[in-house]
Amino acid sequence: MNEQAFKELLDQYITGRLSHENQSTFAMLLEKPEYQAMLEAELERSFMDDEFEGTETAERKARLNTLIFEKIAVKPQGPVHRVHFLRRSWVKITAAAAILLLMGSVAYYSWLKPVKKETVASLGPAANILPGGNKATLTLGDGSVIVLDSAANGAIAQQGNSQIKKTKNGELIYAQTQNSGGPLTTHHSPLAFNTLATPRGGQYQLVLPDGSKVWLNAVSSITYPASFTGTERRVEITGEAYFEVTHNKKMPFVVTANGTNVTVLGTHFNVNAYAYENARRVTLLEGSVKVSQSAIGPASKREQSANNAERSVVLRPGEQAVMAVGHSPLTIDHSPDLEQAVAWKNGKFSFGETADIHSVMNQVADWYNVNVVYKGATNKHISGTISRNVNLGLLLQLLKTTGVADFNVEGKTVEVIMN
Amino acid sequence: MNQNPSHTEKELLIGVAAGNEEAFSRLVNLYRNKVFSHALTFVKSYEEAEEITQDIFVKVWANRHRLPEVKDFKNYLFILGRNHLVSAIRKKVMDTISNNDEEDIPGTLLLPDTQVEYKETYRHLINGLDRLPPQQKAVFTLSRMENLSHAEIGERLGISKRTVKFHLVQALNFLREYLRYPGLLLIVWLF
């Protein structure tokens, strides 16, 4: 192939007009030193001629400066333009709610990770704040504690008839070892309660002795017997957990969360009982659950009898039981955003249409293990979906694009500046 | 090509060599866009073009003691990025072959079949197209919608093939930048 023909291929490549056939040819040629030399010559010529120099946007200028100056640890001189990321066209819009719809794919946005340094709000340090991961502690029946992120994989403990194994995927498995037969087993109490707890920035998965699966969100815990005996399978949680309960008609599965009982036979559901949320929510994905509320607070007898029907509800798949804080009755949301309710389990943050900045930042604080302070007030709402795998800088950058708030990160503290 | 660096540029280089950050900042301002535009054109990935640009300028700073001896700074910049560029191009070509059903994204997006799948992106792309200068938009549309060759487009618009290539590259680079923002899928609802 002569030089002219090669240049033609190169032109097709840069203008996105390379046919499949020519692509293979081009790839083959690029493996050969003589064509690499031709490519280099063309690269040099076009660079020296500024052949493709385009217009530089202010946004790009700021980003590139940040990338460069961050690396060499000196500050760019002169005024750094404060550029609102994609906000120009909306500045005049006083949106009551900004909807952030990011459709998951982190890979697609991963190039956003370097964060602008700005004179007013700085997100710089946030790029180093990594999202949470598989971290938890396990408290055994005798009170001993195992830190799971540092424990080696494999069998880590024996509790009664259950052998506890840790897998590399951040999962704890209780395997029944019936007939283990050793003399030691008789010394174990059949009701050794274990507690799996996640810190801020932690999540963990658990397979209970009956095969039921539990996903534990950050700052959450679950207490359960090392093996289920008796007439029901009872566990207690704080925070948020998603359950896939194995079917067992004879032994209903009961989840207690801060005064709310969820009784199930076998099903998939999510319980959100974070203390900072304005309501506890049980979302049912599959099967059937009964949600009941223990009496909370001194309601009058009349009220209690009036609300009796609402103290217990049966959910159908796709429904959500909502227990607002205070003395509110138990209500059913017939069309909750299911994807949103279990987004965390699928590695995403999802904020519903009613999520205010505080609710968003509570989740952020738990997952990134940061403190949040607020400056100003806003009644704007944010909704949308963002991966939980991104660093804090990128997350804040994306939140910033809603125009609801600006962020300033210092150390482990995120200042939210309402716009 | 052996341009003599201008007096000011030479002063800047000496300043940078002495560790003067302001001089470095001015030097970056002079060349940042040239380096980035060139890299984006050839590696066709915004992220990688950023990486390459960052890399080149970080090398300039790290090796600033060499600057007083540099005869042609622009060519020096090119050489600092050359290997990175070549390997990025080869990788890009290989990647495209391995995903051989995926053509250049904007091209694919204009096919009706994929419109539903990429509805949001498509709408955003159309918005992006509307922001192109008229000549770039015309060239891009003829190339992608009517599938005309560069020569045919040149004939139709009365411009040279080289100008067609320039407009196409500019349009693609603009769209690469425009489409990369999360705003691509960002909707504002008024309540």
Side-chain angles (χ1 to χ4, degrees):
Chain A
M1 175 170 288
N2 65 26
E3 197 177 338
Q4 198 45 49
F6 178 78
K7 280 186 186 170
E8 184 59 40
L9 284 181
L10 183 61
D11 281 355
Q12 289 174 8
Y13 163 76
I14 62 171
T15 54
R17 304 293 283 163
L18 205 52
S19 67
H20 285 320
E21 231 181 356
N22 283 347
Q23 236 158 39
S24 313
T25 313
F26 191 53
M28 240 168 50
L29 294 177
L30 289 181
E31 298 304 310
K32 298 180 180 172
E34 66 265 36
Y35 291 100
Q36 273 177 33
M38 272 184 213
L39 173 66
E40 285 176 12
E42 261 309 289
L43 286 172
E44 181 167 10
R45 188 198 55 74
S46 56
F47 183 75
M48 298 309 289
D49 290 356
D50 295 327
E51 189 176 358
F52 300 111
E53 187 172 357
T55 336
E56 184 180 48
T57 60
E59 166 73 26
R60 194 170 86 204
K61 176 181 168 180
R63 281 179 55 86
L64 287 171
N65 274 345
T66 306
L67 282 174
I68 295 162
F69 292 98
E70 230 169 34
K71 257 294 193 341
I72 68 166
V74 300
K75 287 204 171 70
Q77 303 290 313
V80 177
H81 293 288
R82 189 185 158 140
V83 183
H84 284 277
F85 197 54
L86 247 206
R87 273 190 59 207
R88 220 175 311 160
S89 56
W90 327 344
V91 165
K92 294 181 189 93
I93 304 173
T94 46
I99 309 299
L100 184 65
L101 188 76
L102 291 162
M103 314 262 285
S105 172
V106 204
Y108 196 80
Y109 303 120
S110 56
W111 10 254
L112 280 170
K113 70 184 162 247
V115 179
K116 289 197 289 282
K117 258 185 198 151
E118 294 187 335
T119 45
V120 178
S122 163
L123 296 180
N128 300 323
I129 299 182
L130 300 176
N134 295 322
K135 284 177 252 176
T137 56
L138 173 67
T139 308
L140 298 174
D142 62 0
S144 59
V145 176
I146 300 172
V147 179
L148 294 172
D149 25 328
S150 56
N153 298 326
I156 54 168
Q158 177 85 30
Q159 293 277 283
N161 289 333
S162 289
Q163 187 186 45
I164 309 173
K165 285 184 207 152
K166 172 181 178 278
T167 72
K168 62 172 182 244
N169 306 318
E171 189 182 48
L172 204 59
I173 300 172
Y174 281 69
Q176 295 283 31
T177 53
Q178 277 155 16
N179 308 328
S180 56
L184 274 175
T185 44
T186 52
H187 294 290
H188 282 279
S189 151
L191 270 184
F193 279 95
N194 290 183
T195 300
L196 179 67
T198 52
R200 284 180 132 199
Q203 63 178 9
Y204 226 82
Q205 283 184 50
L206 172 68
V207 180
L208 290 167
D210 65 338
S212 296
K213 287 186 182 169
V214 185
W215 281 254
L216 205 57
N217 203 349
V219 204
S220 302
S221 73
I222 178 166
T223 302
Y224 48 91
S227 50
F228 290 116
T229 53
T231 54
E232 59 180 22
R233 297 170 282 173
R234 184 176 280 273
V235 302
E236 186 168 353
I237 71 152
T238 63
E240 182 164 30
Y242 176 82
F243 291 88
E244 287 182 8
V245 173
T246 53
H247 194 82
N248 185 348
K249 246 184 182 159
K250 289 178 188 153
M251 248 177 137
F253 195 97
V254 183
V255 181
T256 305
N258 191 19
T260 300
N261 292 315
V262 184
T263 308
V264 307
L265 300 173
T267 182
H268 297 183
F269 63 100
N270 191 71
V271 180
N272 180 335
Y274 277 123
Y276 58 67
E277 292 284 352
N278 54 14
R280 277 160 284 147
R281 292 165 204 276
V282 177
T283 314
L284 181 64
L285 283 92
E286 270 181 33
S288 166
V289 302
K290 186 173 99 176
V291 181
S292 52
Q293 204 168 14
S294 325
I296 34 164
S300 77
K301 270 189 183 155
R302 242 186 77 204
E303 268 171 354
Q304 262 187 4
S305 62
N307 288 342
N308 247 351
E310 290 151 336
R311 293 263 181 246
S312 160
V313 297
V314 174
L315 292 184
R316 282 178 300 194
E319 290 182 335
Q320 182 177 67
V322 182
M323 292 128 288
V325 287
H327 300 175
S328 323
L330 191 52
T331 58
I332 297 184
D333 182 344
H334 294 284
S335 54
D337 185 339
L338 295 179
E339 217 168 291
Q340 186 207 328
V342 298
W344 67 271
K345 179 202 151 230
N346 300 323
K348 293 174 196 163
F349 285 112
S350 184
F351 311 118
E353 277 163 35
T354 54
D356 64 10
I357 189 82
H358 297 274
S359 156
V360 170
M361 293 313 293
N362 280 335
Q363 293 185 45
V364 169
D366 276 355
W367 190 235
Y368 291 91
N369 190 13
V370 291
N371 302 314
V372 179
V373 293
Y374 298 90
K375 204 167 151 187
T378 182
N379 56 2
K380 289 172 186 166
H381 290 174
I382 289 177
S383 78
T385 306
I386 304 172
S387 165
R388 302 214 310 176
N389 284 326
V390 300
N391 69 45
L392 180 63
L394 173 57
L395 182 95
L396 295 179
Q397 179 99 308
L398 295 177
L399 288 177
K400 202 176 142 183
T401 63
T402 63
V404 170
D406 209 341
F407 303 93
N408 192 21
V409 179
E410 252 168 58
K412 290 286 244 177
T413 301
V414 178
E415 187 184 27
V416 183
I417 305 148
M418 310 297 187
N419 288 329
Chain B
M1 194 168 293
N2 246 330
Q3 286 172 327
N4 271 330
S6 67
H7 184 57
T8 354
E9 184 171 296
K10 197 158 202 168
E11 277 175 4
L12 277 183
L13 294 176
I14 290 166
V16 175
N20 182 330
E21 293 164 11
E22 199 204 328
F24 180 66
S25 181
R26 284 168 62 190
L27 199 64
V28 170
N29 272 336
L30 282 173
Y31 288 101
R32 180 187 52 236
N33 185 39
K34 294 180 194 298
V35 170
F36 181 85
S37 295
H38 183 256
L40 181 61
T41 302
F42 285 95
V43 304
K44 307 208 282 184
S45 146
Y46 200 95
E47 183 190 24
E48 270 184 277
E50 279 191 339
E51 249 181 62
I52 289 171
T53 308
Q54 179 190 37
D55 207 49
I56 289 173
F57 285 107
V58 169
K59 279 183 187 161
V60 169
W61 179 256
N63 299 303
R64 56 188 182 275
H65 61 276
R66 287 191 202 157
L67 291 176
E69 271 101 72
V70 169
K71 293 273 181 306
D72 183 344
F73 179 69
K74 193 173 177 185
N75 197 254
Y76 176 69
L77 277 179
F78 170 74
I79 290 162
L80 287 180
R82 184 175 57 200
N83 292 344
H84 200 156
L85 269 179
V86 171
S87 65
I89 292 168
R90 288 171 60 191
K91 188 172 160 285
K92 177 81 183 178
V93 176
M94 292 312 293
D95 285 356
T96 321
I97 289 173
S98 52
N99 315 322
N100 55 12
D101 288 332
E102 282 174 24
E103 291 185 328
D104 204 32
I105 287 172
T108 319
L109 286 172
L110 290 170
L111 299 172
D113 287 359
T114 43
Q115 281 185 24
V116 178
E117 196 180 333
Y118 293 108
K119 218 168 104 200
E120 278 303 314
T121 320
Y122 178 77
R123 196 182 311 148
H124 196 70
L125 173 69
I126 297 303
N127 287 340
L129 284 180
D130 283 339
R131 285 167 192 242
L132 290 174
Q135 189 80 321
Q136 277 179 34
K137 188 182 172 185
V139 171
F140 189 84
T141 313
L142 289 174
S143 168
R144 294 310 198 267
M145 295 220 177
E146 301 195 20
N147 213 18
L148 298 185
S149 72
H150 296 187
E152 288 166 329
I153 297 169
E155 240 168 72
R156 183 86 70 97
L157 299 175
I159 53 179
S160 71
K161 256 182 81 173
R162 196 186 142 93
T163 309
V164 171
K165 179 172 82 174
F166 174 80
H167 285 317
L168 269 180
V169 166
Q170 294 305 315
L172 286 167
N173 283 354
F174 173 84
L175 291 171
R176 280 177 194 125
E177 181 163 12
Y178 186 77
L179 289 170
R180 64 179 284 282
Y181 292 122
L184 156 66
L185 298 163
L186 205 70
I187 303 159
V188 176
W189 276 324
L190 292 169
F191 284 101

